[in-house]
Amino acid sequence: MSRRPTSVVVVGAGLAGLGAARALGDLGISVVVVEGRDRVGGRVWTEGGVDLGAHWIHGTEGNPVTRLARLHGLPTLFVGGDSTYTGGWENLVIYGTDGHPLSAAEKQRSLLLVDEVRDSLDTLRRQIASEGGPDLSFQTALSLVLEGRDLSSDQRDHLHWHLTMLARDDWAAGAENLSLLGWDEGYEVYGYGDSIFVEGMQPLAEKLAEGLDVRLGYAVSRIEHTAAGVRVVTSRGNIEADVAIVTLPLGVLKAGAVVFDPPLPERKRQAIERLGMGTVTKIALGFAEPFWPKEQYVFGYLSDRSDENPTTVLNLWKNHRQPVLVLLVGGPRAVEMETWSEPDTKAWGMAVVRGLFGAACPEATSVVTTRWASDPFARGAYSYIAVGSTPDDIDALAEPVGKSLFFAGEATARSHWACVHGAYISGLREAARLTGDSSILPARHFTENRRWREMLQRADRFFNVVGRSIDEQEASLRLGLLRKSAVFASVPTADLKILATMFETRRYADGDTICSAGEPATCMYAIQSGEVQVHLTGSAAVVATMGPADVVGEYGMFRPEGRTASLVARGETIVLALDYQRFKRFLMAFPESMMALMSLTVSRLHDLQSGLSGTQKSWFGRWSARPTRIP
């Protein structure tokens, strides 16, 4: 803006609106907050000590909500986990379809199975993105990556449970609605481990509202905006100001419950239409006293009917000392559950509890059901990237309209949508935009994005399992072999020890074909013993012979055309094969090794260019002793 406004009306008393109002008020600007409900907090709502709305500080260290809690003296507890609600896989007890907790080995197999599928989904996502293909739903993408796989019914139950937890209960969308390409694109996370407010999150909203002019029961129906200012039409009269900051939830915007005059720009209307508004329903069952394991924070419920049941059950005794179990379900199933009667809801909840803890469980003494989808001031729980939308739509939703209309809320937070801290930061963002005062913004805390962190976590689990699968003597032999190769000589030894465990030993007799020209390239090879002859496409002539410590095929994962040569064993030959998917896991997890291999590639390209100009040897001449071209 060219000038600082003297008066601002903030629409909505959630954390986005309260954060903006607090920041502006501290600068001496007159601010009025209008809220349709009879309470502050928006989708932050605590009743009887139970958070019926937002519950977690996702990522504790570096999170501005953590700072707010400390600033206002609100006690929090660290519960672990990683921006979900499970408390972390290492702490999660998963009950199987037989009603018993999975053993450590069963749990590990379940995690590795879904890790492999998640890696395949990432590969498909990258392929579609590079080729400019259309977006897919998670459900469609899953069908594609599972096509042709021979999975048992038990394995399919496990996969379905994991992906239902992710797409339906975490992102509140459902696998049929969540975008494969954009669901986590650019989503940033704070320091590992989540926290909760001991007394619930509602006190945080109340602390932020202290001293502000917050007018409850002012339901907004119309917002008129011009270059000269705004008029907000409410159920209790009109309010005029220089500027309005609109923090209406995406669901309210999608429903057209508030009229904008003049209408919002087409770009913003399209973004509102494309983005998804998810729903999460919480069923809080109260009991006379806990009869379940008291110190277990979250129970996984891996039933054979994950479509109908919650994937997890939260134990409020662990951190709140309340004998309450919270059953959490998202997506279309949550919308359906909101229509149930209390007796039906209680009956369903007790069936889940008895499926977990046995038929002798006592009846619940109370049941509370949230109804965010039917709440006229919310129309859902939080936003997600739907099929056909992208995070660019979030940016479009956040853009001001003219000089008097500004937007905040979790659905406008490009790096933190769907979270309390995203809502709060978005309010500060608009206050800073209005005033030109960047000191309002919280300090950036750089960790990594969610996609990267989850890839590393999958890699950690994989490395730990694979590393135990070969003995020390074999690992040492492989390390020595790779250390002699031109490709891996520059990789740090500690990293190379891990990489060495990831190869698979393959044995070939004289004349066996290791790979053929034209077939898809899926792995690279390190020759352990014997010799390998290289035949170019369409030629029987041997263009190169490779021996122990030579590596071939490492560049194939960057080329979609398939193999450009055939490899044939000469004599008894042993090679170590490394699947590209495993190699990519390694490179993502060990950036120093990635830089070393990148440096080698750049050096070879430089040599090739120099050779073509006649100033140095040709690339083939320089490396003919240890050729490492793409076969």
Side-chain angles (χ1 to χ4, degrees):
M1 292 189 65
S2 59
R3 64 181 180 85
R4 179 177 291 193
T6 59
S7 60
V8 176
V9 56
V10 175
V11 180
L15 262 63
L18 295 175
R22 171 64 62 194
L24 294 170
D26 288 347
L27 293 174
I29 296 172
S30 175
V31 183
V32 173
V33 181
V34 293
E35 168 60 51
R37 295 184 175 89
D38 60 0
R39 60 173 178 82
V40 298
R43 285 166 280 168
V44 170
W45 177 29
T46 306
E47 192 171 271
V50 178
D51 278 322
L52 299 176
H55 181 77
W56 290 273
I57 302 174
H58 286 306
T60 300
E61 288 308 313
N63 193 312
V65 176
T66 302
R67 177 183 174 278
L68 279 178
R70 292 168 179 168
L71 179 66
H72 292 292
L74 299 173
T76 62
L77 279 175
F78 183 82
V79 297
D82 191 25
S83 297
T84 56
Y85 49 84
T86 62
W89 289 115
E90 66 278 9
N91 298 318
L92 182 64
V93 172
I94 304 174
Y95 283 72
T97 54
D98 61 357
H100 295 92
L102 301 187
S103 68
E106 290 171 329
K107 181 178 171 182
Q108 183 181 73
R109 284 195 297 271
S110 182
L111 285 172
L112 291 177
L113 173 64
V114 75
D115 283 351
E116 180 187 350
V117 172
R118 287 286 303 278
D119 282 339
S120 297
L121 287 169
D122 277 352
T123 298
L124 177 60
R125 175 185 53 77
R126 287 191 295 268
Q127 178 185 341
I128 293 173
S130 65
E131 296 173 356
D135 194 7
L136 301 176
S137 70
F138 239 70
Q139 184 168 287
T140 299
L142 181 62
S143 296
L144 289 174
V145 301
L146 293 183
E147 189 174 353
R149 295 200 187 199
D150 185 18
L151 296 175
S152 67
S153 60
D154 187 58
Q155 287 176 315
R156 290 188 178 275
D157 283 344
H158 280 248
L159 278 177
H160 188 61
W161 177 77
H162 281 284
L163 294 172
T164 298
M165 178 190 291
L166 172 71
R168 188 194 72 181
D169 295 348
D170 187 12
W171 285 102
E176 66 273 30
N177 299 318
L178 194 63
S179 163
L180 174 69
L181 297 184
W183 73 276
D184 63 346
E185 181 67 42
Y187 195 95
E188 294 181 9
V189 288
Y190 292 107
Y192 179 83
D194 301 339
S195 294
I196 53 96
F197 287 83
V198 175
E199 299 171 356
M201 197 175 287
Q202 187 75 31
L204 176 64
E206 293 168 354
K207 288 286 187 182
L208 284 174
E210 286 180 0
L212 296 177
D213 183 358
V214 180
R215 304 182 186 183
L216 301 177
Y218 279 63
V220 175
S221 60
R222 184 181 185 88
I223 300 175
E224 300 169 1
H225 55 103
T226 68
V230 296
R231 176 186 291 119
V232 177
V233 179
T234 82
S235 57
R236 301 179 66 176
N238 302 338
I239 299 175
E240 297 184 357
D242 294 336
V243 165
I245 299 178
V246 178
T247 70
L248 295 170
L250 175 63
V252 174
L253 295 173
K254 291 176 81 71
V258 175
V259 174
F260 291 87
D261 183 15
L264 297 176
E266 179 66 16
R267 169 173 157 83
K268 192 179 289 286
R269 295 203 305 269
Q270 289 181 354
I272 291 170
E273 182 178 350
R274 284 192 294 258
L275 288 168
M277 185 63 176
T279 297
V280 171
T281 295
K282 291 181 178 180
I283 310 295
L285 296 175
F287 296 88
E289 59 182 10
F291 52 82
W292 54 87
K294 295 180 181 179
E295 298 307 309
Q296 177 58 38
Y297 177 51
V298 179
F299 303 96
Y301 185 43
L302 202 164
S303 76
D304 54 1
R305 298 192 305 277
S306 294
D307 283 338
E308 302 173 12
N309 292 324
T311 53
T312 53
V313 174
L314 178 65
N315 168 26
L316 293 194
W317 183 265
K318 166 70 174 176
N319 294 315
H320 298 276
R321 287 302 184 255
Q322 294 194 62
V324 175
L325 294 173
V326 176
L327 287 58
L328 185 151
V329 175
R333 175 65 166 171
V335 177
E336 174 193 342
M337 290 170 62
E338 287 192 7
T339 66
W340 295 354
S341 67
E342 183 173 312
D344 287 344
T345 301
K346 182 179 180 182
W348 172 84
M350 287 307 304
V352 170
V353 171
R354 287 167 177 152
L356 276 170
F357 305 118
C361 296
E363 281 290 320
T365 57
S366 66
V367 56
V368 176
T369 304
T370 62
R371 290 180 168 83
W372 292 107
S374 53
D375 181 339
F377 301 114
R379 308 291 180 112
Y382 44 80
S383 59
Y384 65 89
I385 307 298
V387 180
S389 66
T390 74
D392 289 343
D393 290 324
I394 295 176
D395 286 334
L397 188 57
E399 290 176 355
V401 175
K403 298 181 178 180
S404 62
L405 198 57
F406 295 77
F407 290 82
E410 53 85 11
T412 73
R414 176 61 180 79
S415 301
H416 301 284
W417 68 92
C419 281
V420 167
H421 58 261
Y424 176 67
I425 292 170
S426 74
L428 300 186
R429 179 196 68 216
E430 294 312 299
R433 194 199 304 265
L434 276 172
T435 61
D437 187 349
S438 61
S439 68
I440 292 172
L441 296 171
R444 289 292 302 276
H445 185 83
F446 291 95
T447 52
E448 65 268 340
N449 63 38
R450 176 168 174 159
R451 181 177 294 171
W452 179 274
R453 178 177 285 179
E454 290 186 347
M455 287 175 65
L456 292 185
Q457 289 171 340
R458 296 199 299 270
D460 280 346
R461 288 191 286 266
F462 177 78
F463 295 153
N464 276 293
V465 171
V466 171
R468 299 187 186 105
S469 65
I470 63 172
D471 60 38
E472 187 174 340
Q473 183 177 359
E474 174 65 17
S476 178
L477 178 67
R478 292 183 181 186
L479 176 63
L481 181 76
L482 296 179
R483 174 59 64 212
K484 295 176 184 177
S485 73
V487 173
F488 295 114
S490 59
V491 172
T493 300
D495 295 1
L496 198 58
K497 285 181 179 179
I498 295 174
L499 181 63
T501 66
M502 301 175 69
F503 284 80
E504 173 191 355
T505 300
R506 297 182 183 178
R507 301 175 184 274
Y508 297 94
D510 182 41
D512 284 351
T513 298
I514 298 172
C515 65
S516 300
E519 69 182 17
T522 60
C523 63
M524 58 187 290
Y525 305 98
I527 301 170
Q528 181 170 315
S529 64
E531 290 186 339
V532 172
Q533 295 177 332
V534 181
H535 303 261
L536 294 181
T537 303
S539 173
V542 177
V543 297
T545 299
M546 309 177 69
D550 284 335
V551 175
V552 64
E554 71 275 20
Y555 296 148
M557 66 180 176
F558 301 112
R559 294 170 56 90
E561 296 86 355
R563 299 289 189 190
T564 58
S566 298
L567 300 181
V568 177
R570 190 172 74 174
E572 296 292 326
T573 301
I574 300 175
V575 301
L576 301 177
L578 178 60
D579 179 83
Y580 290 152
Q581 191 65 261
R582 293 187 175 190
F583 192 31
K584 286 177 183 176
R585 278 183 173 180
F586 171 80
L587 293 176
M588 291 293 186
F590 297 93
E592 189 175 349
S593 294
M594 182 187 291
M595 290 300 297
L597 292 172
M598 187 182 297
S599 177
L600 174 66
T601 302
V602 171
S603 175
R604 289 180 172 179
L605 288 173
H606 177 268
D607 289 346
L608 176 61
Q609 292 171 346
S610 299
L612 290 175
S613 65
T615 58
Q616 291 187 12
K617 290 182 179 180
S618 70
W619 181 88
F620 180 77
R622 181 179 175 89
W623 294 100
S624 58
R626 294 191 184 279
T628 54
R629 298 174 307 285
I630 310 165

